[in-house]
Amino acid sequence: MMASSYNAKDEDGHITVTGPGGGSLRGKKPENTAFKQQRLPAWQPILTAGTVLPAFFIIGLIFIPIGIGLFVTSNNIKEFEIDYTGVDMSSPCFNCSQNFSWNSTKPCTCTIPFYLDQPYESNVFMYYGLSNFYQNHRRYVKSRDDSQLNGDMESLKKPSKECEPYAYHENKPIAPCGAIANSMFNDTLELFYNDPNGTKIQIPLTTTGIAWWTDKHVKFRNPGNNNPNLTAVFQGTTKPVNWRRPVYELSGDQNNTGFINEDFIVWMRTAALPTFRKLYRIISKNNNNMVPTLARGNYTLEVVYNYPVRSFEGRKRMILSTISWMGGKNPFLGIAYITVGSVCFFLGVVLLIIHHKYGNRNNSADISN
């Protein structure tokens, strides 16, 4: 039978075990320190009626006014939305939605009249919206080559495997590669104001300033070290399968074409939910001859219908919106603040009644004991 002995040391808590060969084995007992023996000083709040009740009332009194302010601010934002999918037979875009596909060679155009019942002041933001489009799918989100989009020449000629099956087409590298770029939104939207005297005035739309600054100047760059001849830079590559033209022809503006095209950059920032909107154009107050920016009256939306959505039962819409200091229209934040504040205030009242009714009785019982 093996004999063993141990020596306990109060200063470090180590246990030494002596085996049959005379060797010593270190025990597994933690060291006798304040940290390992959990003797560090700690502070634990004591929840009493005097601390809990004021906390509930303070939270309620702070959150409810903030929620009301956020809700009123959100409601003051003007927003107008048109669904131009063309599902209904009465829709002006019905024929386009039925006959158009990715392989269509001839674009389809439809015109949608609408009426604004109130004027839009300051800058107005035009969005396009899609429904039932899952940009958050794992394989879809990964289907891109960030090195290629950042202007790396090697990645331009040899796209990442993450882009498959949209990395090569007809033995040529695709630029930009991947499923995200291949499915880029390409409808063309134009807005016209129908003047009461019968003239049709086109609303100027600003194509720049719609992408994040960091995306435009950091994440996305054209290859070729600022070579203005993008046709030569992208020689040897091919356009994505579903595109009508190569990336270097997305715009006639040299500072807004290629990988730094802002429509392309906006699309490449994938949405988290299947129903989303993305900024399409800005109707600038300074560039618009109309006062206010969009006057009350009749308008016409002209759509070049290039983006089919029937295959995934999606919907398309155009949104006109103003913004405030808190961004676009979003009543959820205000409702959340009002709900939390109201619940806290209600709990404070209930607990105050309980404390007033039973608190003195408990104190009397403690004193008698």
Side-chain angles (χ1 to χ4, degrees):
M1 181 176 181
M2 180 181 71
S4 64
S5 62
Y6 73 92
N7 296 320
K9 295 184 179 181
D10 292 337
E11 63 273 12
D12 60 6
H14 292 163
I15 299 177
T16 303
V17 180
T18 304
S24 60
L25 303 176
R26 189 183 182 90
K28 295 183 179 179
K29 182 180 178 181
E31 295 180 1
N32 190 21
T33 61
F35 177 75
K36 292 188 176 182
Q37 295 297 334
Q38 300 184 12
R39 295 196 302 267
L40 291 174
W43 176 80
Q44 181 178 359
I46 299 175
L47 301 179
T48 63
T51 57
V52 174
L53 292 179
F56 274 118
F57 285 117
I58 290 173
I59 293 174
L61 293 175
I62 292 176
F63 274 47
I64 292 176
I66 293 176
I68 293 174
L70 292 174
F71 186 76
V72 171
T73 302
S74 177
N75 283 346
N76 288 336
I77 296 174
K78 299 174 183 177
E79 188 171 290
F80 182 83
E81 183 174 314
I82 293 178
D83 189 311
Y84 68 94
T85 310
V87 176
D88 300 329
M89 294 185 65
S90 59
S91 173
C93 295
F94 176 76
N95 291 332
C96 292
S97 67
Q98 297 298 312
N99 301 326
F100 193 83
S101 65
W102 285 114
N103 298 323
S104 299
T105 56
K106 201 172 183 181
C108 184
T109 303
C110 55
T111 302
I112 306 171
F114 65 93
Y115 179 78
L116 289 182
D117 57 0
Q118 54 184 334
Y120 282 53
E121 308 286 347
S122 189
N123 292 339
V124 180
F125 296 84
M126 176 186 281
Y127 301 85
Y128 62 85
L130 293 176
S131 299
N132 204 35
F133 192 110
Y134 288 82
Q135 274 199 317
N136 57 357
H137 192 282
R138 182 181 63 85
R139 289 192 63 187
Y140 183 88
V141 172
K142 292 175 63 178
S143 186
R144 60 189 292 165
D145 189 342
D146 288 318
S147 296
Q148 186 191 67
L149 297 175
N150 196 242
D152 183 67
M153 289 298 297
E154 183 178 352
S155 298
L156 182 68
K157 303 298 182 181
K158 296 181 180 179
S160 169
K161 292 182 179 179
E162 298 288 356
C163 289
E164 294 291 350
Y166 301 106
Y168 293 90
H169 181 61
E170 296 179 350
N171 297 324
K172 288 184 179 181
I174 296 176
C177 70
I180 306 176
N182 186 64
S183 59
M184 177 181 168
F185 182 83
N186 61 346
D187 279 358
T188 301
L189 308 176
E190 292 183 340
L191 194 62
F192 295 87
Y193 173 67
N194 301 326
D195 195 89
N197 60 16
T199 59
K200 200 173 182 180
I201 304 172
Q202 184 171 5
I203 305 298
L205 305 177
T206 304
T207 59
T208 57
I210 61 176
W212 289 20
W213 188 92
T214 50
D215 288 348
K216 173 82 173 181
H217 297 91
V218 179
K219 293 184 178 180
F220 291 79
R221 295 176 183 173
N222 281 326
N225 297 323
N226 298 322
N227 186 346
N229 189 3
L230 291 182
T231 304
V233 173
F234 284 94
Q235 187 176 8
T237 66
T238 187
K239 65 179 181 62
V241 178
N242 289 337
W243 286 27
R244 294 179 175 272
R245 52 186 172 176
V247 67
Y248 50 84
E249 294 181 1
L250 288 179
S251 172
D253 183 1
Q254 192 65 30
N255 296 319
N256 190 36
T257 191
F259 291 159
I260 60 173
N261 176 262
E262 296 200 25
D263 287 325
F264 172 67
I265 293 173
V266 168
W267 178 258
M268 293 300 292
R269 181 169 283 277
T270 54
L273 299 174
T275 298
F276 59 87
R277 65 174 64 177
K278 292 179 183 287
L279 185 58
Y280 180 71
R281 294 291 182 265
I282 300 175
I283 305 173
S284 178
K285 178 181 180 181
N286 299 328
N287 298 336
N288 195 351
N289 296 326
M290 298 175 59
V291 178
T293 310
L294 291 180
R296 176 181 177 181
N298 293 303
Y299 289 82
T300 300
L301 175 67
E302 291 192 0
V303 180
V304 180
Y305 204 104
N306 294 322
Y307 201 78
V309 293
R310 289 184 59 204
S311 59
F312 55 91
E313 298 180 354
R315 310 278 298 195
K316 297 192 293 185
R317 61 194 189 279
M318 185 278 297
I319 305 106
L320 296 174
S321 175
T322 59
I323 62 171
S324 68
W325 58 268
M326 61 173 290
K329 192 177 186 70
N330 183 14
F332 171 78
L333 190 60
I335 294 173
Y337 267 88
I338 294 173
T339 302
V340 172
S342 301
V343 169
C344 289
F345 195 85
F346 175 75
L347 289 177
V349 172
V350 171
L351 293 177
L352 180 62
I353 295 173
I354 294 174
H355 176 68
H356 180 73
K357 187 174 183 180
Y358 299 103
N360 294 333
R361 184 185 303 175
N362 294 335
N363 293 336
S364 301
D366 293 339
I367 292 173
S368 62
N369 291 335

